[in-house]
Amino acid sequence: MPDVPETTRISQYAPAEQRAASEVPAASGFPGLITRENEPQNLEFPFPSLAGRLTPTSQFYIRSHFPIPDLSVEGWRLTINGAVEHELTLTYDELRQLPATTVSATLECAGNGRARLAPKPKGLLWEQGAVGNAEWTGVPLTVLLARAGVKAEAIEVVFEGADRGEINEDPKSPGAIHFARSLPLAKAQQGEVLVVYAMNGQPLPPEHGFPVRLVVPGWYGMASIKWLTTITVSTVPFDGYWQTIEYAYWQRTQGHPTMTPVAEMQVKAEIARPMLHEALAAGVPYRVHGAAWTGEGAIAKVEVSTDGGGTWQPATLLEQDVPFTWRLWEYHWAPAAAGRHKLLARATDEQGQTQPLEHSKDRRTYMINRVASVEVLVQ
Amino acid sequence: MPDVPETTRISQYAPAEQRAASEVPAASGFPGLITRENEPQNLEFPFPSLAGRLTPTSQFYIRSHFPIPDLSVEGWRLTINGAVEHELTLTYDELRQLPATTVSATLECAGNGRARLAPKPKGLLWEQGAVGNAEWTGVPLTVLLARAGVKAEAIEVVFEGADRGEINEDPKSPGAIHFARSLPLAKAQQGEVLVVYAMNGQPLPPEHGFPVRLVVPGWYGMASIKWLTTITVSTVPFDGYWQTIEYAYWQRTQGHPTMTPVAEMQVKAEIARPMLHEALAAGVPYRVHGAAWTGEGAIAKVEVSTDGGGTWQPATLLEQDVPFTWRLWEYHWAPAAAGRHKLLARATDEQGQTQPLEHSKDRRTYMINRVASVEVLVQ
């Protein structure tokens, strides 16, 4: 068995079970989830409740495409097949005996922010809380790929979950399908990509992929296949439903729109407080705060405007940077004048990428990172 | 001018401006609104924040069908026409000089609860907070009707708002229309129906109908026409878009479904806390609480089940009954066993009406008062 590969970009956080109980962030404000759809369950973290860097598991957003599959530790198997030297089938116990690591990673649904688009789009209307940050413990995918032996001609790795169903609403539906998606081999071989069995130090709950899921730090959540059962190394591009009809966007190549699977998260700052239409007192200092994240880079700065974008002031980035992990930020504001005020926040990452003011239609209803604004009432 | 008619069912609350500041309920927990649609603005009260009987104006749910019309006190006029002896046109100042009263009334959107239906319905996916309770100050509609002189053959009164637009999504759309709806004459002549210019003691904000709106206590919110400009007394039934294609349901007459405008609110209890997926501690007492309301009657009891409906215990109704106003309730629970628990609450009104366990398809996606359930995690 090969050694665990280098995972130099992996979190310095201690796994949750090694921390004192008092360090685990308490649920605050709104200690549950907001329903966006009941069946299948699609529930949103109430983002104004943001109280710490780690999202409590019970408040981590839930994105389901189908009913939660009824899996057991005993019955579960993971198959690794396709363009490999040795096809593998692992039991849960065998997986647990492999070298493991813990990564802190922020996952955001590719449709987060959709409720703020106009006109009202199709799809789940997430506002700002289809995002969360957790510590994920599992076996690096590279360990499994090395054991199976990836053939030289491989270009992608396809991941399939046990969740399955008909897509009745969509006339382009291919019938009953499993959720499945691929990664380019280069991303699949990054040390941070994990085959995960624990979240915040506890076994995965059913809604987060029990017993085992993929976690792809830096990418939108649709890549982190839950209820993972099959890993297929492929020598051809995978053009499945979930990276063509859904979770794909238009990239322009010499003016021609080209269907492209949604992949890396886009740089984004969200305001937790004040909340939309929150009433503030004139002259009383107020702590504007939130979180900012990006894909595979780091957040360089967050700026805040309290005059609808006329002027911008730097916010303070809190704690130190942790790869793949959102950065909390704050800005102290004393609203002077009564009336309605529009607050904005925008993040810039180390590559100089920042947020647009408008959402591009080429992105369809994904990758929504236009500058957020919050209207508040100062009294 | 006639006297103000009897309004014996009107709130005993003091108007907000007569109360001490300390009595005005503070926003708590989640002090703003949840976006369900951005343009037009459709924003939901975060129901787990429920902290008092009066909903702060800044947290009152916002239901808009079209952009907010840009109206001024100076330019606004109210016309009363149709089957009347004297057609009237009033300025804002003239309206303000008429005898006024204040009514406490709970308004609920007819689609509140839609996010919990499955499969995901069309329409705005409200969860539980498209409801609020406020004090409304204005001129009883009966005062205006008496001044105009309702003719004997009148059967309905039609109300039109200044809000207007195309209904593009709906192939049955009649083109660009104003929001308009009618009341049967009998309801229009109840003393609690007000032509309102103040909410919680302050002038109406733009999103709640500035400068003047109708408030129809006991009925779902769609009857309380915002940005009111025209009142037309009619001798024929009004079958407008908003009480046929939308805001209508199927009543069975000898087995035949008959299109019926949505009208009186249905009896309902909602749980504010715990919130969906809230984590509770085993053995630690917890205050389950919420609100219950009905149409034109009073709440008689609220019951709570902590075992998914197997057994029911009475909740305590708080304060005294106020007509047309929700009743807060609480139930003290000490969750004994760790695991997932399903809490239910159901209300019964004085007429013995209670909540169904399932939503009837005949109601389409309106009047959703099936028993609410909240799954919590006991640890």
Side-chain angles (χ1 to χ4, degrees):
Chain A
M1 191 192 311
D3 286 343
V4 179
E6 288 238 342
T7 54
T8 50
R9 309 189 68 232
I10 283 176
S11 165
Q12 305 311 306
Y13 278 9
E17 65 261 42
Q18 296 171 14
R19 267 186 275 118
S22 64
E23 289 180 72
V24 178
S28 84
F30 222 49
L33 291 163
I34 297 167
T35 303
R36 296 290 173 181
E37 183 176 16
N38 194 5
E39 295 178 22
Q41 268 201 338
N42 283 292
L43 309 180
E44 175 166 340
F45 169 57
F47 198 81
S49 294
L50 180 73
R53 203 159 188 178
L54 208 62
T55 309
T57 300
S58 64
Q59 287 204 289
F60 205 93
Y61 80 96
I62 298 171
R63 174 71 179 104
S64 315
H65 299 85
F66 301 116
I68 296 173
D70 186 19
L71 302 181
S72 69
V73 160
E74 295 72 25
W76 178 86
R77 296 289 182 279
L78 177 62
T79 300
I80 303 164
N81 58 22
V84 292
E85 302 296 342
H86 324 284
E87 186 167 316
L88 298 179
T89 299
L90 293 172
T91 67
Y92 184 79
D93 287 343
E94 287 167 343
L95 182 76
R96 289 295 301 259
Q97 284 160 24
L98 294 176
T101 189
T102 295
V103 171
S104 165
T106 298
L107 296 188
E108 181 186 18
C109 176
N112 192 29
R114 208 178 269 150
R116 293 175 173 172
L117 296 181
K120 181 160 80 81
K122 271 191 60 189
L124 285 164
L125 296 183
W126 306 106
E127 185 172 4
Q128 53 174 177
V131 61
N133 184 65
E135 291 175 354
W136 310 97
T137 302
V139 178
L141 178 62
T142 50
V143 171
L144 299 173
L145 293 179
R147 281 169 67 103
V150 173
K151 290 190 175 170
E153 60 269 34
I155 61 166
E156 288 195 10
V157 183
V158 181
F159 303 87
E160 183 178 285
D163 49 330
R164 184 171 189 273
E166 291 269 357
I167 303 159
N168 291 319
E169 284 178 24
D170 191 329
K172 296 176 288 299
S173 162
I177 52 175
H178 284 266
F179 192 81
R181 221 171 180 279
S182 73
L183 291 178
L185 188 61
K187 179 69 184 178
Q189 288 180 325
Q190 293 295 316
E192 70 271 10
V193 179
L194 300 188
V195 174
V196 160
Y197 47 76
M199 177 181 184
N200 292 336
Q202 299 293 325
L204 285 172
E207 60 270 24
H208 292 297
F210 173 86
V212 173
R213 72 177 296 171
L214 190 70
V215 169
V216 183
W219 280 40
Y220 284 108
M222 79 277 128
S224 293
I225 309 290
K226 298 194 283 190
W227 311 293
L228 180 67
T229 56
T230 312
I231 298 175
T232 303
V233 179
S234 174
T235 59
V236 293
F238 177 66
D239 292 322
Y241 182 84
W242 309 98
Q243 55 204 60
T244 52
I245 302 300
E246 295 200 29
Y247 298 122
Y249 68 109
W250 301 111
Q251 259 191 344
R252 298 267 163 184
T253 309
Q254 297 179 321
H256 299 289
T258 310
M259 187 176 276
T260 308
V262 173
E264 203 182 349
M265 293 194 294
Q266 302 295 305
V267 61
K268 186 171 182 178
E270 276 289 350
I271 299 170
R273 295 284 301 275
M275 189 180 169
L276 181 63
H277 280 221
E278 184 168 337
L280 312 184
V284 177
Y286 187 92
R287 178 178 176 259
V288 180
H289 75 102
W293 58 94
T294 185
E296 297 178 356
I299 290 295
K301 66 175 175 180
V302 171
E303 298 159 292
V304 170
S305 172
T306 59
D307 59 3
T311 60
W312 294 85
Q313 293 80 34
T316 303
L317 299 180
L318 305 175
E319 304 179 34
Q320 82 282 31
D321 179 61
V322 175
F324 307 115
T325 300
W326 63 20
R327 193 88 186 258
L328 304 190
W329 57 265
E330 66 180 14
Y331 174 76
H332 291 276
W333 181 42
R340 298 193 176 207
H341 293 262
K342 191 174 275 192
L343 271 70
L344 310 176
R346 89 177 159 208
T348 304
D349 69 15
E350 283 183 338
Q351 286 112 46
Q353 298 177 109
T354 189
Q355 301 180 236
L357 285 170
E358 294 300 331
H359 179 72
S360 163
K361 283 195 195 309
D362 278 357
R363 293 185 177 187
R364 299 169 60 195
T365 62
Y366 303 111
M367 306 159 66
I368 304 158
N369 73 327
R370 67 164 176 194
V371 173
S373 77
V374 175
E375 187 178 79
V376 298
L377 318 170
V378 177
Q379 294 167 342
Chain B
M1 192 193 312
D3 288 341
V4 180
E6 288 236 343
T7 54
T8 50
R9 309 189 69 234
I10 284 177
S11 165
Q12 305 310 303
Y13 278 7
E17 64 263 45
Q18 296 171 14
R19 266 186 276 116
S22 64
E23 288 181 74
V24 178
S28 84
F30 222 48
L33 292 163
I34 296 168
T35 303
R36 295 292 174 182
E37 183 176 16
N38 194 6
E39 294 177 22
Q41 267 201 338
N42 283 291
L43 308 181
E44 175 165 341
F45 169 56
F47 198 81
S49 295
L50 180 73
R53 203 159 189 178
L54 208 61
T55 309
T57 300
S58 64
Q59 287 204 289
F60 205 93
Y61 80 96
I62 298 171
R63 175 70 179 105
S64 315
H65 299 84
F66 301 116
I68 296 172
D70 185 19
L71 303 179
S72 69
V73 160
E74 296 73 25
W76 178 86
R77 295 290 182 278
L78 178 62
T79 299
I80 303 164
N81 59 21
V84 293
E85 303 295 343
H86 325 284
E87 187 168 314
L88 298 179
T89 299
L90 293 173
T91 66
Y92 183 80
D93 286 344
E94 287 167 343
L95 182 76
R96 291 294 302 258
Q97 285 160 24
L98 294 175
T101 189
T102 294
V103 172
S104 165
T106 297
L107 296 188
E108 181 186 17
C109 176
N112 192 29
R114 208 177 269 150
R116 293 176 174 172
L117 297 181
K120 182 160 79 82
K122 270 190 60 186
L124 285 164
L125 296 183
W126 306 104
E127 185 171 2
Q128 54 174 176
V131 60
N133 184 65
E135 292 175 354
W136 310 98
T137 302
V139 178
L141 179 62
T142 50
V143 171
L144 299 173
L145 293 178
R147 282 168 66 103
V150 173
K151 290 190 173 170
E153 60 269 34
I155 61 165
E156 288 195 12
V157 183
V158 182
F159 304 87
E160 184 178 285
D163 49 330
R164 182 172 191 273
E166 291 270 358
I167 303 158
N168 292 319
E169 285 178 23
D170 192 329
K172 297 177 287 299
S173 163
I177 52 174
H178 285 264
F179 192 83
R181 224 171 177 279
S182 72
L183 291 179
L185 188 61
K187 178 69 182 178
Q189 288 180 326
Q190 294 295 314
E192 71 271 9
V193 179
L194 300 189
V195 174
V196 160
Y197 47 76
M199 176 179 184
N200 292 336
Q202 299 293 325
L204 285 172
E207 60 271 22
H208 292 296
F210 173 85
V212 173
R213 71 178 295 172
L214 189 70
V215 169
V216 183
W219 280 40
Y220 284 108
M222 81 274 126
S224 292
I225 310 289
K226 297 194 282 190
W227 311 293
L228 181 67
T229 56
T230 312
I231 298 174
T232 304
V233 178
S234 174
T235 59
V236 294
F238 177 67
D239 291 322
Y241 181 85
W242 309 99
Q243 55 203 60
T244 53
I245 303 299
E246 295 199 29
Y247 298 123
Y249 68 106
W250 301 110
Q251 261 193 344
R252 299 268 163 181
T253 309
Q254 296 180 320
H256 299 289
T258 309
M259 187 176 276
T260 308
V262 173
E264 202 180 350
M265 292 193 293
Q266 302 296 303
V267 61
K268 186 170 181 178
E270 276 289 350
I271 299 169
R273 293 285 302 275
M275 188 181 171
L276 181 61
H277 280 222
E278 184 169 337
L280 312 184
V284 177
Y286 188 93
R287 178 178 177 259
V288 179
H289 75 101
W293 58 95
T294 184
E296 298 178 357
I299 290 295
K301 65 175 175 182
V302 171
E303 297 159 291
V304 171
S305 171
T306 58
D307 58 2
T311 60
W312 294 84
Q313 293 81 34
T316 305
L317 299 180
L318 305 176
E319 303 179 36
Q320 82 283 30
D321 180 61
V322 174
F324 307 114
T325 299
W326 63 18
R327 193 87 186 260
L328 302 191
W329 57 266
E330 65 181 14
Y331 174 75
H332 291 276
W333 181 42
R340 298 193 176 207
H341 293 263
K342 190 173 274 190
L343 270 70
L344 310 176
R346 91 180 157 204
T348 304
D349 69 16
E350 284 182 337
Q351 286 112 47
Q353 298 176 110
T354 189
Q355 300 180 237
L357 284 170
E358 294 300 331
H359 180 71
S360 163
K361 283 195 195 308
D362 279 357
R363 293 185 177 188
R364 298 169 61 194
T365 61
Y366 304 111
M367 307 160 66
I368 304 158
N369 74 327
R370 68 166 175 191
V371 173
S373 77
V374 175
E375 187 178 79
V376 297
L377 317 171
V378 177
Q379 294 167 341

